[in-house]
């Protein structure tokens, strides 16, 4: 049966916004459970907070008796003013005695025993707590999701003739870029099997080696010229 005054609809966005403003002002808005809340429909609770709607459909936290449980906006409506009528439980039907037909004598044929009265449903025998509120069933606790660890990134870079290595874990810098030798860079790349990467590093190292050899050759030539000039000056002296 539907309790009197219970709206099957849920809370609107405007009502939810009004609840947020009331909580910010230190008040706890009263709500009434709708039919979608199950056996506690028609009962009164107090909104005490909001959870993240992106995590679960049940994100409006309601204090009901001694329990604080999350519900969806469709399970709640704004509580009516004044006392809330209790649920009406239909009384168990009275057993009907069988009607005897024909000229049978009761002294010769006893009446069949009365059937036992049907047991009341579990909903009808739920004990009411103080203030006429029915104890809300405890909901299973949500499993706690483990927070994933931030990713670790190690960067080997080449620029302006220098090799550098840096390390970051998420947004946190574990090691700022520092300079390493070309041989160390080639050794690091050789530890991973990525097509094309080692060849690119080898080409860069070979290019640097050729440039260094050319520069050394130029310096040798300049040194030879200087030594020849010194020899000439020595002979002149």
């Amino acid at each position: 049966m539907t309790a009197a005054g219970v709206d099957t609809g849920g809370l609107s966005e405007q009502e939810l916004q009004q609840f947020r403003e009331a909580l910010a002002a230190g008040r706890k808005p009263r709500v009434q459970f709708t039919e979608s809340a199950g056996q506690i429909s028609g009962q009164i609770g107090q909104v005490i907070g909001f959870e993240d709607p992106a995590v679960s459909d049940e994100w409006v936290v309601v204090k009901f008796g001694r329990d604080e449980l999350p519900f969806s906006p469709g399970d709640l409506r704004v509580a009516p003013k004044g006392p809330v009528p209790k649920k009406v439980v239909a009384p168990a039907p009275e057993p009907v005695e069988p009607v005897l037909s024909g000229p049978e004598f009761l002294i010769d044929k006893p009446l069949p025993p009365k059937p036992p009265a049907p047991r009341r449903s579990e909903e009808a025998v739920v004990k009411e707590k103080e203030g006429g509120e029915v104890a809300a069933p405890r909901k299973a606790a949500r499993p706690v999701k483990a927070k994933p660890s931030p990713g670790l990134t190690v960067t080997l870079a080449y620029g302006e003739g220098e090799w550098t290595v840096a390390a970051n874990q998420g947004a946190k810098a574990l090691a700022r870029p520092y300079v390493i030798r070309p041989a160390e860079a080639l050794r690091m790349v050789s530890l991973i099997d990525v097509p094309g990467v080692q060849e690119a590093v080898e080409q860069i190292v070979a290019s640097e080696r050729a440039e260094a050899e050319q520069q050394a050759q130029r310096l040798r030539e300049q040194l030879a010229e200087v030594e020849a000039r010194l020899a000439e000056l020595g002979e002149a002296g």
Side-chain angles (χ1 to χ4, degrees), residues 27-108:
R27 300 191 302 273
K28 297 178 180 179
R30 296 170 72 248
V31 290
Q32 188 176 39
F33 296 101
T34 64
E35 285 297 318
S36 62
Q39 65 181 15
I40 61 174
S41 63
Q43 300 299 319
I44 300 297
Q46 289 180 311
V47 176
I48 61 173
F50 294 96
E51 295 182 355
D52 189 356
V55 176
S56 173
D57 294 336
E58 298 176 345
W59 50 276
V60 182
V61 182
V62 180
K63 182 176 182 182
F64 182 60
R66 297 181 181 179
D67 297 318
E68 296 179 1
L69 302 172
F71 293 85
S72 68
D75 296 337
L76 309 169
R77 67 182 293 270
V78 177
K81 297 182 180 179
V84 179
K86 298 182 180 180
K87 282 189 174 182
V88 179
V89 180
E94 293 292 337
V96 180
E97 296 184 359
V99 179
L100 299 179
S101 61
E104 293 183 345
F105 295 96
L106 296 180
I107 193 171
D108 295 332

Side-chain angles (χ1 to χ4, degrees), residues 116-179:
R119 297 182 61 183
R120 299 173 65 189
S121 64
E122 293 183 0
E123 178 182 354
V125 298
V126 173
K127 292 183 179 180
E128 293 185 353
K129 302 185 71 175
E130 295 181 2
E133 296 180 350
V134 180
R138 293 185 177 272
K139 297 190 176 183
R142 299 191 186 96
V144 179
K145 296 182 179 179
K147 185 177 180 180
S149 301
L152 176 64
T153 304
V154 178
T155 305
L156 174 65
Y158 174 79
E160 298 182 357
E162 292 183 342
W163 290 93
T164 58
V165 172
N168 293 74
Q169 187 169 21
K172 180 181 179 181
L174 300 180
R176 296 185 178 276
Y178 62 94
V179 180

